[in-house]
Amino acid sequence: MNIEQIQYAVEVAKTKSISAASLNLHVTQSAISQSITNLESELGIKLFTRSRLGALPTPDGKNIFLKMVEIISRLQEIKEEADNQNGILKRELRIAAIPIGMDILIDTISSFKKDFPDVQIQITEKGSGDILNDIYEKKVDIGLIGFNNKLRKKNSELIFTRIWEGKIVVFVGKKSPLASLKKIHAKELLKYPFVLYNEEYVHEFVDNFSSSIGPIDVWFKTNNTRALTRALKDGLAITAGYDFSFLEGSNKESHDLSLVEVEGFIQDAKSIGWIQSENESNSLISKHFINRYINEFLVRYL
């Protein structure tokens, strides 16, 4: 077993896809597949199962991956300490993020500041489109955004690091008549009013849904997540968002909401991840911060 095998396996576990891991690591799919096969043979257990959903960790594999994440984290700490001793980390990091993933972001900053107390961190919450513009205009260093393959190809000069791939689902309050459902047919959603977070991936979902199923009754759009959650909890309306949103169910507000999958509507896979310019990708502080965020994510949700 070597570090390279561990890195490949963790990346596949993170992205649930050998092809996505290949893109992120700039390594061929065959090299990653062969590395994992050799690792499974050496360990004597199967780490992944293949399905239409991708490469998913087996129950035995999950326990192994948690230890692998610890190994990578320790290696990063050694590198970070060496960099800090050499004084080669810049002393400011400007971050923009969509609301999704903010819990992990705060935890990551708390951990990061303990090791690098002199680094000044600035956070702003914005939509993905605004974050993209800020990256191009050099107003922020790194951004946590929602994106799909089309957006990634359109902005091929930027560096994308995927941390989650999922789909759009419906969220309803516990008072909603839909709260007891696991799935709902897309046409049934035309009966209910929506409140929507003012974000590009939501706009795209609404446009595609309206053109293929019918127009959605939108009561209002907002960048205020508290106002949106209040409307849901009171049973006034429903909303659409990433299924990843529900993974962050540690806060009290999310316990008052239910997730309902949408049937009868074809949608492209949606991703969440970090974006930065090619120049910024060489910044040690950005690399360390993104890697620490990903490790925090894996430990919490793997």
Side-chain angles (χ1 to χ4, degrees), residues 10 18 53 67 101 109 112 183 188 193 202 221 231 273 276:
V10 168
I18 289 179
L53 299 176
K67 296 185 181 299
I109 290 172
F112 196 81
K183 297 182 180 181
E188 288 295 308
V202 176
K221 299 177 182 179
Q276 57 191 314

Side-chain angles (χ1 to χ4, degrees), residues 127-193:
S128 295
D130 290 334
I131 294 173
L132 270 171
N133 291 334
D134 284 352
I135 291 289
Y136 280 119
E137 294 174 10
K138 299 181 180 180
K139 293 180 179 179
V140 298
D141 300 309
I142 57 176
L144 183 66
I145 70 168
F147 62 91
N148 56 21
N149 288 333
K150 181 179 178 181
L151 186 144
R152 186 170 184 165
K153 290 177 181 177
K154 185 178 178 181
N155 298 275
S156 58
E157 66 272 32
L158 299 179
I159 306 299
F160 290 79
T161 304
R162 189 197 321 260
I163 61 170
W164 177 265
E165 184 173 278
K167 58 187 176 183
I168 300 296
V169 296
V170 169
F171 293 96
V172 303
K174 296 297 185 182
K175 296 179 181 179
S176 169
L178 304 181
S180 62
L181 302 180
K182 297 295 184 184
K183 297 182 180 181
I184 186 171
H185 195 277
K187 290 184 178 179
E188 288 295 308
L189 294 177
L190 300 178
K191 301 176 182 178
Y192 299 92

Side-chain angles (χ1 to χ4, degrees), residues 10-21 48 53-57 164-166 243:
V10 168
E11 190 68 23
V12 173
K14 179 184 72 179
T15 60
K16 299 183 292 186
S17 166
I18 289 179
S19 60
F48 297 97
L53 299 176
L56 303 178
W164 177 265
E165 184 173 278
D243 53 357

Side-chain angles (χ1 to χ4, degrees), residues 23 41 59 72-74 85 120 139 174 182 214 227 237 257 283:
L23 285 172
S41 177
I72 291 177
S73 180
R74 294 294 177 270
Q85 294 283 348
Q120 298 299 312
K139 293 180 179 179
K174 296 297 185 182
K182 297 295 184 184
L257 305 180
S283 161

